[in-house]
Amino acid sequence: MRNQTPLAPGDARNLEAKRLARIAAQRWREVAELARRQKTEGPPIPAHFGDASEAVHYAHDHKFALYWQGTHIFAKRQRELGDRFVARPVFTRKGATYVGLVPLDEQEEASGKEPS
């Protein structure tokens, strides 16, 4: 049997304070990681757009570059960015088509330009 000495009341409080500090630090790290992910992931992109103006306004308001399906640049960005390229359906007067949305900072990286 190990020889255990009883803890003084101050020692017990100190151990409890250290335990609570470790828990709080872990929670702050989790919150910081969540905030970092949300910042890098950006706002959620709608599953579809009702019309062309809605897509254009969304891209402008949330700082996305917008590319229309059927254009050379749509295909180029889709090849360059792979999974980071987000295409969503949009309904126009001529029928359904797709728009590609890329955050402006990624679009500048893909084109090889320095951000201004």
Side-chain angles (χ1 to χ4, degrees), residues 3-59:
N3 183 9
Q4 293 183 346
T5 58
L7 293 173
D11 291 342
R13 276 183 291 210
N14 196 18
L15 290 175
E16 181 68 9
K18 287 180 181 179
R19 185 182 72 79
L20 292 173
R22 279 194 307 271
I23 292 170
Q26 177 61 32
R27 287 187 180 153
W28 277 111
R29 284 190 295 271
E30 291 169 359
V31 167
E33 175 64 19
L34 178 64
R36 185 193 61 77
R37 271 189 275 132
Q38 287 177 342
K39 182 178 178 185
T40 58
E41 291 172 4
I45 298 173
H48 63 83
F49 295 102
D51 60 16
S53 67
E54 184 182 335
V56 171
H57 282 85
Y58 179 86

